[in-house]
């Protein structure tokens, strides 16, 4: 593998380019008209224009991406997350074109993409699922209404093609069910072109805990422990941490072993995630599998010391995993805050505009994965995440203090961000105590504007704006030369060694 095309944008494209560069692999970026100035385009060895800003006309154009791949003579495609990452037809087209898709087989993507098939497949492999409808197939409303009382209320109607909560309905009684079936099917039909639904008993007040797994082409499947992802709003995760403050070593090992079984049930290869619901009594149930690298993968990297992207590339080269299950140890604690361009004081409304000035936190135990820089414009075309702030420390408490420090250092001028939300969360006693579930942000956590602080902040903001505009008139430029590639690096080392003989 000499050259990899990255079929993505933003921080994840940058993350993948960095791994390739460290491995001495050349990179090809693709970009939309809105991303001409993007960081991933600047960092890649080569870059090709896909088309207009909307995703359908750019990052979702599988045909164009495959053409570019052939033209650029790239031998592999890394899809990142979102866009084409979980499209089985795209993975299949790559294979047909003789291009390595850095991810699972099309058949694994398909088996997990259909949520009812996924549920049945893992259930038959001995993975616990929430009680609900069994076997796959398109059940008519009459049949679902007959089964519902046997499952018991409250229950959930879920879309087969679902994920992300679309087409999901809570049902409290049989009387209200026909109407809810109709609206769930309607929503699923318009979102996925598939109105098929199934039923599950509602698990109330559960946590969302997921297990990272990784598998090579030689039958080795290893789990890398859990990430706690319960801090979310409207199915958008906001904070992830590892290890989960809710799990003990015994439960962690059991969930890990079950996750491995779930992955094996679809012949899984490469990095993937098994999502579980964990209830108050520590019962856990399979929810779904994400057949891709995830946004929150860095928290796992921080506690295990494993570079997931490099490991994905290693697997795609046909090598065995670089570690065994017994080599995987949890070291310390990591937390990730997703920094989004949105206004937390105004219903998390998206905020767009040019980043006039920014200062990213650095220092011990701090990692920032971002695709933006001062001068870059945040447009409404893509998701609003502008960076991931990840901290590591030896204990969870120290990691929270470090995250507070890092959030304080973070400066961004030009767009509003959800940093104040994260600061309030780091100050919340419930978060500190690890006492939260998936309803926490929407039901218990209220975000209030502090009048006094706000007026002081607007004065500071005015002073900073003046400073930024002053600075921009007296910029200095410096160029950093790129290192030569491997071959000449070796020659250089040889010369150096001869000199010192
Ligand atoms: C559930 C559930 C409770 N009981 N299933 C939400 C999206 C989809 N991935 C599955 N989801 C849920 N399924 C049963 N049987 C609660 C949720 C759920 C949820 C799950 C994970 C993270 C956040 C959530 C927020 C609301 C509901």
């Amino acid at each position: 593998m000499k050259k990899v095309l990255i079929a993505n944008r933003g921080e994840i494209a940058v993350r993948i380019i960095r791994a390739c560069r460290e491995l001495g692999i050349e990179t090809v970026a693709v970009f939309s008209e809105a991303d001409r100035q993007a960081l991933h385009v600047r960092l890649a060895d080569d870059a090709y224009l896909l088309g207009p800003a909307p995703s359908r006309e750019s990052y979702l154009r599988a045909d164009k991406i495959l053409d570019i791949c052939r033209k650029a003579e790239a031998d592999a495609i890394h899809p990142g997350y979102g866009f084409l990452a979980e499209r089985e037809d795209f993975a299949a087209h790559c294979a047909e074109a003789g291009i390595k898709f850095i991810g699972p087989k099309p058949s694994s993507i398909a088996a997990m993409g259909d949520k009812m098939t996924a549920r049945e497949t893992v259930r038959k492999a001995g993975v616990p699922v929430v009680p609900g409808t069994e076997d796959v197939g398109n059940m008519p409303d009459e049949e679902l209404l007959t089964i519902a009382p046997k499952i018991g209320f409250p229950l959930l109607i879920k879309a087969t093609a679902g994920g992300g909560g679309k087409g999901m309905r809570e049902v409290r009684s049989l009387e209200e069910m026909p109407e809810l079936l109709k609206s769930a099917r309607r929503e699923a039909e318009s979102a996925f072109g598939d109105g098929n639904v199934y039923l599950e008993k509602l698990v109330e007040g559960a946590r969302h805990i997921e297990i990272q797994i990784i598998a090579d082409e030689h039958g080795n499947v290893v789990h890398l422990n859990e990430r706690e992802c319960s801090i979310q709003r409207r199915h958008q995760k906001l904070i992830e941490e590892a290890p989960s403050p809710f799990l003990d070593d015994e439960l962690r090992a059991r969930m890990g072993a079950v996750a491995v079984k779930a992955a094996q049930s679809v012949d899984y290869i490469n990095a993937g995630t098994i999502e579980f619901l964990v209830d108050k009594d520590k019962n856990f149930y399979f929810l779904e599998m994400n057949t891709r690298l995830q946004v929150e993968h860095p928290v796992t990297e921080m506690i295990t010391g494993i570079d997931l992207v490099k490991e994905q590339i290693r697997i795609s080269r046909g090598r065995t995993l670089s570690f065994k299950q017994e080599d995987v140890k949890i070291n310390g604690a990591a937390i990730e805050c997703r920094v989004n361009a949105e206004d937390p004081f105004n219903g998390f409304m998206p905020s767009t505009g040019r980043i006039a000035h920014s200062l990213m936190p650095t220092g011990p135990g701090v990692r920032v994965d971002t695709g933006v820089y001062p001068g870059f414009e945040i447009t409404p075309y893509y998701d609003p995440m502008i960076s991931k702030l990840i901290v590591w420390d030896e204990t969870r408490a120290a990691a929270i203090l470090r995250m507070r420090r890092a959030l304080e250092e973070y400066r961004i001028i030009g767009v509003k961000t959800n940093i104040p939300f994260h600061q309030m969360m780091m100050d919340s006693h419930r978060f500190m105590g690890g006492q939260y579930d998936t309803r926490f942000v929407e039901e218990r956590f209220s975000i209030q504007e502090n009048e006094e602080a706000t007026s002081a902040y607007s004065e500071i903001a005015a002073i900073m704006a003046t400073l930024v505009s002053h600075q921009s008139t007296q910029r200095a430029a410096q160029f950093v030369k790129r290192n030569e590639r491997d071959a000449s690096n070796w020659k250089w080392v040889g010369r150096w060694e001869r000199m010192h003989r």
Side-chain angles (χ1 to χ4, degrees):
M1 199 182 287
K2 291 200 177 70
K3 204 189 247 190
V4 172
L5 182 145
I6 296 99
N8 216 301
R9 64 178 303 281
E11 66 86 21
I12 197 64
V14 171
R15 166 74 187 88
I16 296 159
I17 290 167
R18 285 176 171 152
C20 290
R21 256 202 116 64
E22 290 174 17
L23 292 170
I25 297 171
E26 282 187 70
T27 52
V28 181
V30 288
F31 61 98
S32 72
E33 280 164 13
D35 278 341
R36 286 179 188 278
Q37 310 288 317
L39 196 56
H40 75 283
V41 176
R42 293 188 178 193
L43 293 180
D45 293 303
D46 209 350
Y48 290 80
L49 177 68
L50 281 170
S55 301
R56 288 183 182 289
E57 296 175 68
S58 51
Y59 298 103
L60 288 172
R61 286 291 300 267
D63 55 336
K64 278 198 180 175
I65 290 170
L66 286 168
D67 280 348
I68 292 167
C69 206
R70 281 184 282 253
K71 189 150 55 157
E73 295 182 330
D75 27 37
I77 294 184
H78 196 307
Y81 54 70
F83 300 123
L84 300 169
E86 290 176 283
R87 290 267 299 269
E88 57 155 326
D89 50 346
F90 181 64
H93 284 136
C94 288
E96 285 157 22
I99 298 160
K100 188 82 187 172
F101 176 81
I102 303 177
K105 295 187 287 191
S107 59
S108 312
I109 300 176
M112 289 300 184
D114 182 286
K115 305 307 166 194
M116 211 195 305
T117 305
R119 185 181 139 86
E120 275 305 290
T121 309
V122 304
R123 187 177 67 83
K124 284 176 183 149
V127 173
V129 298
V130 184
T133 44
E134 281 175 18
D135 295 327
V136 292
N138 215 331
M139 288 190 197
D141 284 6
E142 306 85 79
E143 198 176 340
L144 293 172
L145 290 163
T146 314
I147 298 169
K150 290 174 202 154
I151 296 168
F153 296 96
L155 57 75
L156 273 178
I157 302 170
K158 291 188 175 187
T160 305
K166 281 233 175 67
M168 203 167 85
R169 294 289 183 281
E170 259 185 57
V171 189
R172 303 254 147 211
S173 70
L174 191 61
E175 293 74 67
E176 62 180 28
M177 197 163 146
E179 205 47 50
L180 290 166
L181 275 170
K182 207 185 289 173
S183 81
R185 286 191 194 276
R186 204 183 311 120
E187 191 174 308
E189 181 67 47
S190 84
F192 316 112
D194 179 357
N196 201 4
V197 297
Y198 64 105
L199 307 178
E200 266 183 15
K201 185 145 183 65
L202 176 71
V203 181
E204 283 174 288
R207 289 177 170 250
H208 174 151
I209 297 176
E210 57 188 30
I211 307 279
Q212 176 72 52
I213 69 103
I214 191 146
D216 64 22
E217 293 174 354
H218 307 279
N220 302 301
V221 189
V222 169
H223 76 82
L224 302 178
N225 296 300
E226 80 282 9
R227 291 184 290 258
E228 163 79 64
C229 304
S230 300
I231 302 290
Q232 54 85 46
R233 184 183 167 273
R234 300 193 178 171
H235 304 294
Q236 291 300 312
K237 293 170 188 164
L238 290 164
I239 298 174
E240 303 94 350
E241 62 172 317
S244 166
F246 194 63
L247 299 195
D248 53 48
D249 286 341
E250 187 269 331
L251 180 55
R252 175 171 293 123
R254 269 199 296 135
M255 287 178 70
V258 164
V260 167
K261 274 204 284 186
Q264 284 167 333
S265 75
V266 293
D267 282 328
Y268 201 81
I269 292 166
N270 219 289
T273 299
I274 314 287
E275 295 185 358
F276 291 103
L277 280 176
V278 185
D279 71 16
K280 295 180 283 299
D281 305 317
K282 306 207 169 176
N283 299 305
F284 65 90
Y285 309 96
F286 170 86
L287 212 46
E288 48 194 74
M289 179 173 192
N290 301 312
T291 55
R292 58 166 191 273
L293 180 73
Q294 284 193 272
V295 176
E296 59 271 29
H297 76 276
V299 299
T300 299
E301 296 187 319
M302 303 293 266
I303 61 154
T304 60
I306 292 163
D307 185 315
L308 281 165
V309 179
K310 284 187 186 168
E311 208 62 35
Q312 285 191 296
I313 292 169
R314 181 187 169 94
I315 291 162
S316 294
R317 280 169 152 166
R319 308 271 300 277
T320 56
L321 290 176
S322 68
F323 48 84
K324 296 195 165 43
Q325 187 65 66
E326 60 265 31
D327 302 326
V328 179
K329 297 273 178 330
I330 299 180
N331 179 27
I335 306 172
E336 171 179 280
C337 288
R338 296 190 187 189
V339 177
N340 294 339
E342 57 192 21
D343 184 359
F345 299 113
N346 195 0
F348 292 83
M349 271 249 289
S351 172
T352 57
R354 191 173 302 277
I355 297 176
H357 176 77
S358 82
L359 185 65
M360 302 282 176
T362 55
V366 176
R367 165 175 172 183
V368 179
D369 279 19
T370 185
V372 310
Y373 56 89
F376 188 72
E377 192 178 343
I378 309 294
T379 65
Y381 295 106
Y382 314 109
D383 85 78
M385 195 177 74
I386 50 182
S387 80
K388 303 186 301 204
L389 171 55
I390 307 118
V391 302
W392 177 91
D393 212 325
E394 285 179 19
T395 64
R396 182 172 185 269
I400 293 172
L401 295 176
R402 182 163 273 171
M403 182 60 86
R404 279 195 187 167
R405 185 271 288 176
L407 288 165
E408 256 171 50
E409 274 181 29
Y410 211 126
R411 297 283 187 285
I412 191 154
I413 296 175
V415 291
K416 289 182 175 157
T417 76
N418 62 351
I419 288 172
F421 165 87
H422 290 303
Q423 289 182 300
M424 286 184 232
M425 190 57 76
M426 293 304 127
D427 285 344
S428 140
H429 290 193
R430 287 207 155 246
F431 182 80
M432 278 187 240
Q435 295 168 319
Y436 56 82
D437 59 37
T438 54
R439 297 172 304 191
F440 184 59
V441 175
E442 281 154 289
E443 291 176 22
R444 303 193 64 124
F445 192 74
S446 72
I447 181 156
Q448 253 143 27
E449 211 164 342
N450 180 328
E451 297 243 351
E452 215 170 307
T454 318
S455 66
Y457 285 153
S458 55
E459 212 168 295
I460 295 167
I463 295 165
M464 285 177 82
T466 310
L467 284 170
V468 167
S469 97
H470 177 67
Q471 277 170 351
S472 66
T473 60
Q474 34 177 287
R475 281 209 183 118
Q478 185 187 18
F479 286 88
V480 178
K481 191 174 158 286
R482 277 202 166 187
N483 282 334
E484 299 292 328
R485 290 240 145 253
D486 273 353
S488 46
N489 279 359
W490 289 117
K491 272 189 218 159
W492 189 85
V493 171
R495 263 179 237 144
W496 186 85
E497 280 173 350
R498 282 195 297 279
M499 259 171 62
H500 288 262
R501 214 174 277 160

